[in-house]
Amino acid sequence: MDPDIEKVIKAADPYRLTGTRYLHGTDHFDNTGVHNPTGAVVYPISLATTFRQKSPGVPTNVNDPNSFGVGYEYSRTGNPTRGEFERAMASAESARYCCAFASGSSAVTSVIHLLESGSNVLCIDDVYGGTQRYFRKIVSPSMNIHFSFVDFDNIDEIREKMKGSYKNTKLIWLESPTNPTLKLSDIRQIANLAHDNGAILAVDNTFCSPYFQSPLELGADIVVHSVTKYINGHSDVVSGVVCTNSLNLSDRLRFIQNGMGAVPSPFDCFLAHRGLKTLHIRMEASSRNAYAIALFLEKHEGVNKVLYPGLPSHPQHELAKRQQHGYGSMITFYCKGSRKQAAIFLEQLKVFSLAESLGAVESLAESPSLMTHASVPEEERKKLGIDDSLIRLSVGIESCSDLIKDIDNALKAAIESV
Ligand code: P1T
């Protein structure tokens, strides 16, 4: 091909060639009309709760790929719009299988239901407050499943403990980067550790999204997402998914999905699938903004410390470069002062919204110690560095200079009150 044309094609394709996959999946080019008979380019929302059967127990639509070869009976068990989203999510996460759930939290719950009573779970110590609350306050007291919250930085120490106090570990649970202190773990190394000891590794990939990190390719067995965040991306759906390459895990998860019934509505699946189609463009735009904001914050007189994997000052910057395809759009920083200054900063923001959640086109800011991680025991928060001066930013796709002006004004107001 003409090298000049080749250059122009390359420039038009800055998104790691994920665009086609996010829009059409890897096996979605359906010219047969089997699963989309009208040929509509947008897959329809199927609201029916039940499906006509040919004969008792014999469904009519076993050839529809969205029914995974079993046809449809009842919409909790299988739904065409949900199947379409699940297949698209599996492609996006380089997985063979995906099950969608009513929230990220119910995706987490469903993975825990894979475990037998008496199992041990090793969980990264800095993990989303809601996940931690579920592990500590719901599962631990009632399900005879034991959790150890650990820092995977010293992997040799953990390897040693796998022979002793962590002996019955069946599941390792990671977030990388963590919510909210953006700590990274070496996924490949931890997958090996899990497999050497008869455990599986689950990675909550919410913060990176499939665009910036592929845990299954690094050896993880399960990937979890709060779809509520980057995948949907527009602050209007609560949903979750679990992806895997293991048929055994997928079969058990689908059984749990049907048996526990925490399924997303067809409308939410439709919206989340629509969000997925622009994931690459949103991730590029928001991470570009975040990188500029992180550099700006690092030099600001109102800031004590910035945590962003893209900064050379981040303790795992080299791991971020190696393990992720980009640095993402979450930034955490310590403002000068204490709770009062953090509150003034958050109250003064005008473009950023003071709100929980993350990963949307709109920029959000929050105080983890008072909001998303308030349920984490205080002494744990202290150990993890989640103090009242810690601010978490989810950078959106507004104009970067407007975001920086907004932060600058709010930080100036906070400093004045010191
Ligand atoms: O909110 P839900 O869709 O149920 O997802 C739970 C969840 C799971 N994993 C991670 C890493 C998360 O960040 C979340 C939800 N987090 C927030 C609401 C938050 O503001 O951090």
Side-chain angles (χ1 to χ4, degrees), residues 248-385:
N248 174 276
L249 288 172
S250 169
D251 282 348
R252 288 158 63 200
L253 284 162
R254 209 161 278 296
F255 187 76
I256 291 167
Q257 181 193 43
N258 182 41
M260 288 179 50
V263 291
S265 74
F267 189 62
D268 283 352
C269 292
F270 171 85
L271 283 179
H273 191 178
R274 184 164 75 165
L276 176 65
K277 292 176 185 179
T278 55
L279 179 67
H280 50 310
I281 293 170
R282 289 184 285 107
M283 292 312 286
E284 283 290 337
S286 62
S287 67
R288 261 201 313 270
N289 280 351
Y291 182 57
I293 290 171
L295 289 175
F296 173 78
L297 283 172
E298 211 168 35
K299 294 265 188 274
H300 203 286
E301 55 172 340
V303 172
N304 272 339
K305 189 176 175 191
V306 183
L307 298 171
Y308 180 67
L311 293 176
S313 60
H314 189 283
Q316 292 144 314
H317 179 58
E318 289 308 312
L319 176 59
K321 274 205 254 181
R322 198 169 72 236
Q323 180 164 277
Q324 300 179 186
H325 308 299
Y327 303 119
S329 37
M330 297 301 295
I331 304 173
T332 310
F333 70 95
Y334 294 92
C335 68
K336 280 228 168 86
S338 60
R339 183 172 178 156
K340 182 178 157 199
Q341 283 70 39
I344 291 173
F345 170 77
L346 289 168
E347 287 161 8
Q348 289 298 317
L349 290 168
K350 305 231 163 7
V351 183
F352 278 82
S353 294
L354 168 52
E356 299 198 1
S357 202
L358 58 113
V361 285
E362 308 87 8
S363 293
L364 305 175
E366 66 120 7
S367 157
S369 69
L370 299 175
M371 297 165 67
T372 50
H373 292 68
S375 67
V376 176
E378 199 179 339
E379 67 277 18
E380 288 300 318
R381 285 207 307 266
K382 222 183 216 167
K383 261 195 257 165
L384 297 167

Side-chain angles (χ1 to χ4, degrees), residues 102-108 127-131 173 175 177-179 204-207 224-229 237-240 330 355-358 366 372-373 392:
S103 62
S105 301
S106 57
V108 176
V127 68
Y128 166 56
T131 302
W173 188 277
E175 277 176 17
T178 56
N179 182 359
D204 183 331
N205 201 25
T206 298
F207 268 37
V224 171
H225 281 284
S226 168
V227 167
T228 317
K229 311 301 183 323
V237 167
V238 173
S239 177
M330 297 301 295
E356 299 198 1
S357 202
L358 58 113
E366 66 120 7
T372 50
H373 292 68
R392 191 187 76 182

Side-chain angles (χ1 to χ4, degrees), residues 104-293:
S105 301
S106 57
V108 176
T109 312
S110 302
V111 173
I112 295 302
H113 272 268
L114 292 168
L115 298 172
E116 284 177 5
S117 168
S119 302
N120 187 42
V121 180
L122 281 190
C123 178
I124 181 92
D125 50 6
D126 182 34
V127 68
Y128 166 56
T131 302
Q132 217 172 130
R133 179 176 54 206
Y134 169 65
F135 288 171
R136 285 182 192 276
K137 299 187 177 159
I138 299 177
V139 184
S140 286
S142 63
M143 285 173 66
N144 191 29
I145 291 173
H146 183 260
F147 289 84
S148 308
F149 293 89
V150 299
D151 182 345
F152 284 95
D153 234 16
N154 193 346
I155 198 139
D156 291 331
E157 191 184 313
I158 292 173
R159 194 183 300 280
E160 230 9 75
K161 283 194 177 169
M162 294 290 250
K163 295 178 196 142
S165 49
Y166 299 160
K167 201 167 173 193
N168 201 26
T169 297
K170 297 292 181 218
L171 172 68
I172 296 183
W173 188 277
L174 275 190
E175 277 176 17
S176 183
T178 56
N179 182 359
T181 65
L182 303 178
K183 190 159 71 172
L184 271 65
S185 295
D186 189 322
I187 295 173
R188 195 181 289 284
Q189 218 179 31
I190 297 169
N192 290 338
L193 174 77
H195 299 153
D196 290 347
N197 289 278
I200 57 169
L201 172 64
V203 178
D204 183 331
N205 201 25
T206 298
F207 268 37
C208 271
S209 90
Y211 186 66
F212 281 139
Q213 184 164 266
S214 309
L216 296 177
E217 289 173 5
L218 296 167
D221 303 281
I222 285 175
V223 167
V224 171
H225 281 284
S226 168
V227 167
T228 317
K229 311 301 183 323
Y230 289 103
I231 290 162
N232 180 63
H234 294 76
S235 305
D236 51 13
V237 167
V238 173
S239 177
V241 288
V242 182
C243 302
T244 181
N245 278 322
S246 155
L247 178 60
N248 174 276
L249 288 172
S250 169
D251 282 348
R252 288 158 63 200
L253 284 162
R254 209 161 278 296
F255 187 76
I256 291 167
Q257 181 193 43
N258 182 41
M260 288 179 50
V263 291
S265 74
F267 189 62
D268 283 352
C269 292
F270 171 85
L271 283 179
H273 191 178
R274 184 164 75 165
L276 176 65
K277 292 176 185 179
T278 55
L279 179 67
H280 50 310
I281 293 170
R282 289 184 285 107
M283 292 312 286
E284 283 290 337
S286 62
S287 67
R288 261 201 313 270
N289 280 351
Y291 182 57
I293 290 171

